[in-house]
Each structure stands twice: as structure tokens, then as C-alpha cells.
């Protein structure tokens, strides 16, 4: 493949892995060279999907600190593109993004929740986000206002069960009006997500 690129993917949380996995798989099937650097719960997830890790950090860098020469790895790997997650607390994702900045390599950030890009300190070329509202928040409430965004949806949640009992319960709940499902994301982000959800409802649906 003449246009094949080497893409370095750096992740930490399982949500980022689920968010990126379909695109990474498609890129690999299209002939691109995928290199994975992972820490946290995402490391086992990539291995389960059949990837070999170029570097693996500990499950929790705060409890099990580890060393990684991100500048040396970026220099040796020479990726055409670096794709990073936006885990919490941020670690290798931001470090590799900064290393890519220093090497003048484009960086794409993958948000698996609203305004997660704010965890990064690196310069970005692009951001992948979950919804149009997330794209709007990047443009209006983050320091990445000038960064282009692409909405790719979210794969970071399991689909609901397709059972008669589940469908019956949803039908029962709908008799009472609108249903809003808001998935938490730990502290302090769940409160922020609830606030954003309410603001979205006010604007889109006209709630008072």
C-alpha cells in the first residue's frame, strides 16, 4: 500500500480503547502500520484483541511508577501520526503527545467523554469526539477552540440487552415521558457530565 502510514496509538483507560478500537482495526485492515503503547486497563484490552504492545506501563502509574523514554521511542519509531487517548489521570498519552509535538508529528486526541481534551497539555492537529455537543464544547469551552473535530460516536459503552424484559421495562418507563440515560464517569467528572446534559436539554428540547 503506497499510502500506508505508521500510526502510534497511546492509551490508558478501557473507555479510550473501546472508543478507538474499531477505527484502529479498520486502519490496520487497510494496510496501515499500527503501533500500540498502553498502560492501565487498556493494555490487557489491546492484547486481547491480538495486538503486540511496543511498550506497556503499569496498571496504575501512581501506585506502580515506571519509566518510559517517549522521546526516544518517537524518534526510533518515526510515526507519521500519533493518536492519544485522554485518560484520567493523564500520563503517557500527554507525554507521547508532547514528544510528538517536539518531533513535529501531528497529534490526534480521542475524547471518550466531554471536554476530556482539557486533560492534555500538548498541541493538537485534530480531535475525535463522541457527539456534536462534544465538538461544540471543544470549540467554545476548551483551549483547543481552533482544532478541527470529527464526531465518531462512542463505543465505550456496552449495548443494552435485547431481551423481552428489557424492552418491556423501557416501554413502561416511556409512558412517563422522556427518558434520559446519563452514564457516570467517576469523580469529579460525573457532576460535570450531568451539568452538560442538562444544558444540552435546555438548548435542544427547551426544558425550563
Amino acid at each position: 500500500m503506497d499510502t500506508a502510514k505508521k500510526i502510534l496509538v497511546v492509551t490508558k483507560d478501557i473507555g479510550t480503547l473501546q472508543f478507538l478500537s474499531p477505527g484502529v482495526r479498520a486502519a490496520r485492515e487497510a494496510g496501515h502500520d499500527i503501533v500500540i503503547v498502553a498502560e492501565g486497563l487498556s493494555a490487557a484490552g489491546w492484547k486481547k484483541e491480538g495486538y503486540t504492545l511496543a511498550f506497556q506501563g503499569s496498571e496504575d502509574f501512581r501506585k506502580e511508577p515506571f519509566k518510559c523514554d517517549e522521546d526516544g521511542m518517537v524518534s526510533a519509531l518515526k510515526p507519521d501520526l500519533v493518536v492519544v487517548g485522554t485518560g484520567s489521570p493523564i500520563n503517557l498519552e500527554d507525554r507521547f503527545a508532547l514528544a510528538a509535538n517536539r518531533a513535529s508529528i501531528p497529534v490526534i486526541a480521542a475524547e471518550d467523554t466531554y471536554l476530556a481534551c482539557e486533560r492534555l497539555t500538548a498541541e493538537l492537529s485534530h480531535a475525535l469526539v463522541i457527539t456534536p455537543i462534544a465538538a461544540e464544547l471543544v470549540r467554545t469551552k476548551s483551549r483547543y477552540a481552533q482544532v478541527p473535530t470529527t464526531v465518531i460516536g462512542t463505543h465505550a459503552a456496552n449495548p443494552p440487552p435485547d431481551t423481552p424484559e428489557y424492552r418491556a421495562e423501557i416501554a413502561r418507563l416511556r409512558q412517563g415521558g422522556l427518558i434520559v440515560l446519563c452514564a457516570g464517569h467517576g469523580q469529579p467528572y460525573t457532576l460535570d457530565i450531568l451539568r452538560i446534559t442538562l444544558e444540552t436539554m435546555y438548548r435542544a428540547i427547551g426544558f425550563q
Side-chain angles (χ1 to χ4, degrees):
M1 182 177 180
D2 294 339
T3 58
K5 303 294 185 183
K6 179 178 282 188
I7 304 171
L8 173 59
V9 180
V10 187
T11 63
K12 174 178 172 286
D13 294 339
I14 196 71
T16 303
L17 179 148
Q18 294 171 322
F19 181 71
L20 285 175
S21 178
V24 170
R25 188 183 313 115
R28 185 170 66 168
E29 291 172 353
H32 298 289
D33 183 8
I34 305 298
V35 180
I36 306 289
V37 168
E39 62 177 318
L41 296 177
S42 71
W46 287 118
K47 288 181 175 180
K48 186 176 180 180
E49 294 194 15
Y51 294 90
T52 299
L53 305 185
F55 178 86
Q56 178 176 349
S58 64
E59 187 167 312
D60 187 337
F61 71 93
R62 296 166 299 179
K63 296 179 180 178
E64 299 178 72
F66 58 87
K67 294 181 179 180
C68 178
D69 180 8
E70 56 269 19
D71 286 290
M73 288 192 65
V74 167
S75 177
L77 291 168
K78 295 181 173 56
D80 298 292
L81 177 67
V82 175
V83 180
V84 301
T86 48
S88 173
I90 201 84
N91 186 34
L92 284 183
E93 293 157 324
D94 196 38
R95 288 165 55 184
F96 271 87
L98 290 167
N101 285 169
R102 290 189 285 270
S104 299
I105 297 170
V107 176
I108 293 179
E111 283 195 341
D112 64 339
T113 189
Y114 296 109
L115 285 177
C117 66
E118 284 290 281
R119 299 168 186 163
L120 296 165
T121 62
E123 296 298 318
L124 302 179
S125 299
H126 206 96
L128 306 175
V129 298
I130 55 176
T131 66
I133 293 297
E136 179 185 346
L137 289 168
V138 171
R139 289 192 297 269
T140 60
K141 294 191 176 182
S142 82
R143 60 180 173 279
Y144 297 110
Q146 304 306 314
V147 172
T149 58
T150 298
V151 177
I152 67 170
T154 181
H155 304 275
N158 294 325
D162 186 19
T163 64
E165 293 80 10
Y166 181 83
R167 291 193 295 271
E169 181 64 11
I170 292 299
R172 184 187 70 79
L173 291 171
R174 281 178 173 160
Q175 293 176 1
L178 178 70
I179 301 173
V180 178
L181 173 63
C182 184
H185 197 67
Q187 293 292 341
Y189 305 108
T190 297
L191 181 58
D192 292 337
I193 291 171
L194 287 170
R195 286 171 176 160
I196 291 169
T197 300
L198 289 173
E199 289 174 6
T200 303
M201 291 167 62
Y202 290 149
R203 292 200 305 270
I205 309 174
F207 276 14
Q208 300 296 328

